[in-house]
Amino acid sequence: MRIIRYSIPSMFSLLALLSALNAILLSINTEYVNACYFILAAMLFDSLDGRVARLLNSSTAFGAALDSLVDMMAYGVAPGMMMYCWKFHTLGRFGFIVSFIMCLCAGLRLARFNIMLDVQDKRFFQGLSSTMAGGFVVSFILCSTQYGWSGTLNTVLAVIITLGSALLMVSNVKFYSFKSVGKNKKLILTSLYSTMLIMIAMVPWFKGLMVIAFLGGYVVINLLLQPLFNRM
């Protein structure tokens, strides 16, 4: 029973890893919409592993290390690979470099997070989380594919979004983590999850726009609130 209790959180991490691998293979076969949905599935599984571990009181150093490696795959390697297969292969060496920068910054972001875990302010992430960065890049691919966005402007936006997301990961910009929300924790978390469920319910009508709106809104709001965060 003890083995099962400690294995369940890692199973969610492995499901996220499997989803990331599927996303890469599908993007190689130019099935970009399905590839994007597998990254969104990885984000869902990734959000569950830690919560399940805390619920079962089965958090371990092994689980934390596995989660970090899966994050590198799902939000660094997979988005970079998907961007290269979808758009950046047309840009030659420059496209390869941009894709690599996404992978590189995800790795640096996760390494910094791991060594600062016990000393950083729990209220904030230092730099954009790899989950949000990878999800934002993938959601742009999803929207572009579903709505037929193309042309030079779309390529330029793809480069800007990829580089911007990558550089925000290794920046010192503060992003609210929702891990410490004070006295109104239950109200705030209920409002957040309710908003997420409403947006998920609207996906069949608005498709990837709901995903990119949620992730993009999180990034923009946090950037605008930097003066406030720096005084907290």
Side-chain angles (χ1 to χ4, degrees):
M1 191 65 184
R2 178 184 173 88
I3 295 177
I4 294 175
R5 181 162 64 90
Y6 278 90
S7 298
I8 290 175
S10 294
M11 291 302 298
F12 284 104
S13 296
L14 294 176
L15 285 172
L17 180 61
L18 177 62
S19 298
L21 177 60
N22 269 320
I24 292 174
L25 296 177
L26 286 168
S27 65
I28 292 174
N29 290 325
T30 69
E31 298 180 45
Y32 302 116
V33 172
N34 289 332
C36 291
Y37 281 136
F38 268 107
I39 293 298
L40 297 180
M43 293 173 69
L44 174 62
F45 293 132
D46 183 49
S47 70
L48 292 173
D49 57 6
R51 288 173 174 79
V52 171
R54 288 188 290 272
L55 180 65
L56 297 177
N57 193 26
S58 58
S59 299
T60 63
F62 172 84
L66 177 62
D67 181 60
S68 186
L69 291 171
V70 171
D71 286 352
M72 176 63 191
M73 180 74 168
Y75 314 123
V77 176
M81 185 76 174
M82 291 168 65
M83 267 294 186
Y84 185 82
C85 291
W86 174 62
K87 187 73 70 173
F88 291 167
H89 69 278
T90 63
L91 302 178
R93 186 171 298 176
F94 175 73
F96 171 81
I97 292 172
V98 175
S99 295
F100 173 69
I101 289 174
M102 183 68 192
C103 301
L104 172 66
C105 290
L108 294 175
R109 168 69 176 79
L110 290 163
R112 182 176 67 176
F113 176 80
N114 289 338
I115 64 173
M116 296 183 65
L117 195 58
D118 296 326
V119 297
Q120 67 179 4
D121 189 339
K122 301 296 183 183
R123 296 173 299 172
F124 302 102
F125 292 123
Q126 185 178 353
L128 183 63
S129 72
S130 59
T131 305
M132 288 292 184
F136 190 47
V137 168
V138 167
S139 65
F140 181 74
I141 299 175
L142 181 61
C143 282
S144 297
T145 305
Q146 289 178 329
Y147 289 95
W149 300 345
S150 59
T152 303
L153 178 59
N154 183 254
T155 303
V156 171
L157 284 174
V159 171
I160 292 173
I161 287 174
T162 304
L163 288 177
S165 298
L167 294 176
L168 281 174
M169 280 193 282
V170 295
S171 71
N172 290 321
V173 177
K174 293 181 177 180
F175 288 87
Y176 201 64
S177 68
F178 295 101
K179 292 182 179 179
S180 177
V181 289
K183 297 179 180 179
N184 296 319
K185 179 177 180 178
K186 186 176 292 187
L187 175 62
I188 293 173
L189 290 179
T190 300
S191 300
L192 176 64
Y193 289 135
S194 297
T195 302
M196 290 175 63
L197 288 173
I198 291 171
M199 297 185 78
I200 290 171
M202 295 174 70
V203 165
W205 290 277
F206 295 96
K207 301 178 181 179
L209 280 178
M210 298 308 302
V211 182
I212 200 170
F214 178 78
L215 298 176
Y218 171 82
V219 173
V220 171
I221 291 172
N222 277 271
L223 289 176
L224 293 175
L225 290 177
Q226 287 306 297
L228 175 63
F229 290 166
N230 290 329
R231 290 198 298 268
M232 293 175 67

